[in-house]
Amino acid sequence: MAPLVPDIISNEFNFIIAILIGIAFGYILEQAGFSSSKKLVGLFYGYDFTVLRVFFTAGITAMFGVVVLGHFGLLDISIIYINPTYLWSAIVGGVIMGLGFVIGGFCPGTSVCAAAIGKIDAMIFIVGSIIGVFVFSELYPILEGLYKSEYWGNVRIFEVIGISQGLFSFLMILMAVFAFVVTTIIEKKVNKKDNPDLKPTGRYVTFAAITIIIGLFSFALPERQKVLIEKSNNPDLLATADYKIMTADELAYRLMYDMNSFRIYDLRSKELFNQFSLPNSMNISLDYIFSKDASKLFTESYKMQIFVDETEEGARRGAFLAAEMGYENIYVLKGGLNEFRSEILEFKKPNRELTLIEKDNYRFREIAQKEIKILIEKAKTQQKLEAPKTKRVLGGC
Amino acid sequence: MEKSKYMNPYLAGFFLGLLLLLTIYITGRGLGASGAFKSMVVYAVNTLSPEHTAAKPYYIEYLSEHEGNPLKNWLIFELIGVVIGAFISGLISNRLEFKLEFPEKITKRVRIISALIGGALFGFGAQLGRGCTSGAALSGMAVMSAGGIITMLAIFGGAYMFAYFFRKLWI
């Protein structure tokens, strides 16, 4: 599951990747004409909307791609960098940048691109930018209030507006197409001539149509995570997945003598988990099973991955999801924690004639009861196991 | 030799979008530019006067969030790539030339001053807005960050708002 850094691509190699990505970035910007300030500011005076076309096409292409990759569970959206939202600094900072744009004729990325092909005005712009950054850093104590006011967190725009992600991306695409058409008309009026390069030729229309059809198809297919969660609600399907059952006795034995052979994933609420939990257990949610962190945890060494919940049914849901995600060595605690309590922790010998096998078994349970109660008490004084949670990638400018 | 024509803007945008998507897929973060300027400033100030960076909160915050040398930063490497990539593109399309570009109506001096002031404002605004057109607006749009999209609207809205007053610089 992506992002590939830092597990598949190391942090050090990432710097090489950065250079390669930069080369492509610079090449595309220069080829698009972003190395000329005259061309860049054209959109503010109506004579050249290249920036708008390139920018919006790039934005919707990437946005669409992120949605699709997330949809099929190929990219973990919860750990990629989402620019944090600080309302006032975003607005004021943006307006100042807009002012800088019409005065200076560049933005930071394009100025570097233009400087690379010898534009002296771009080099001066870079010097100016560095001065601007320095001035901000020095004045930061005065600006800190504004800089940190109205913090909304790493929220995404469709959550703020309250619509679905798919609908929002669809609206963005419509807006972009609308902007392309309108600006082409404006450009034609301002320049008093047609730009033959931008006529919607058959090729473009076909290309766009194919993309839209693929897009619609992919959204018609439901999200993988949703499908699996839905399936896990169906008791008949639960039994079909590839996981095994572990009895309370077996778990009790392993708790006492073979703690390294397994790990317990407790699917109950945080409150219940904090009140009572078995040693060597981690509190996780069903959603966690789909994350990139889980993929590291569940494939770690040869451990048995035991899912528990109050009931067996609850544990089966987690085990089903994990097995369907392709993880191996998945176990379910038979009868859930309820049975573990009645058979081990609160076990009482029945008042009747016992068979020989029962006698052996019950003797084991009485020993286990004592030992595991001690283990539970001991575990309380120690730090609880935490399910690893990767922090968001540090990104942005 | 004659200069080549620019790439079709929609095609260029499509490639740029794919590149941005690939960047997010590989690294989990988007493209950027102004952040590299920030690293350079922090590095320069830290080298010239470590006491100064130790006393000013903005540098302290930066240095506490980023381990090691400020120049060992993803965006610095990316920006080195941008210089190389743009140079290659200029070479291929015959656009390499030392030149101060400005409209005929204004003087060289006006262009130099406007580039410097514009740059300073952009640099300042990009710090306040936590990113520039690449890092906040474009990359923010790709991941549908509320902050990124608000910054994008503010950049373009602000530019249109002020465009009239600075029209003499361009047309």
Side-chain angles (χ1 to χ4, degrees), chain A residues 122-162:
Chain A
M123 297 173 197
I124 298 168
F125 184 94
I126 295 175
V127 174
S129 303
I130 291 174
I131 295 172
V133 175
F134 178 69
V135 169
F136 180 87
S137 311
E138 293 300 311
L139 296 181
Y140 181 67
I142 308 170
L143 297 161
E144 194 173 354
L146 175 65
Y147 187 68
K148 289 184 175 162
S149 62
E150 273 303 304
Y151 178 50
W152 294 356
N154 301 83
V155 290
R156 305 183 69 203
I157 188 87
F158 54 89
E159 295 165 348
V160 175
I161 309 173

Side-chain angles (χ1 to χ4, degrees), chain B residues 125-146:
Chain B
Q127 291 314 299
L128 189 57
R130 294 178 173 77
C132 57
T133 352
S134 329
L138 184 60
S139 303
M141 183 175 165
V143 296
M144 295 195 222
S145 145

Side-chain angles (χ1 to χ4, degrees), chain B residues 79-101:
Chain B
L79 218 60
I80 293 168
V82 170
V83 173
I84 300 169
F87 184 83
I88 295 171
S89 166
L91 191 68
I92 293 172
S93 302
N94 285 308
R95 283 193 285 265
L96 293 182
E97 184 184 6
F98 272 110
K99 183 179 164 194
L100 186 74
E101 195 183 38

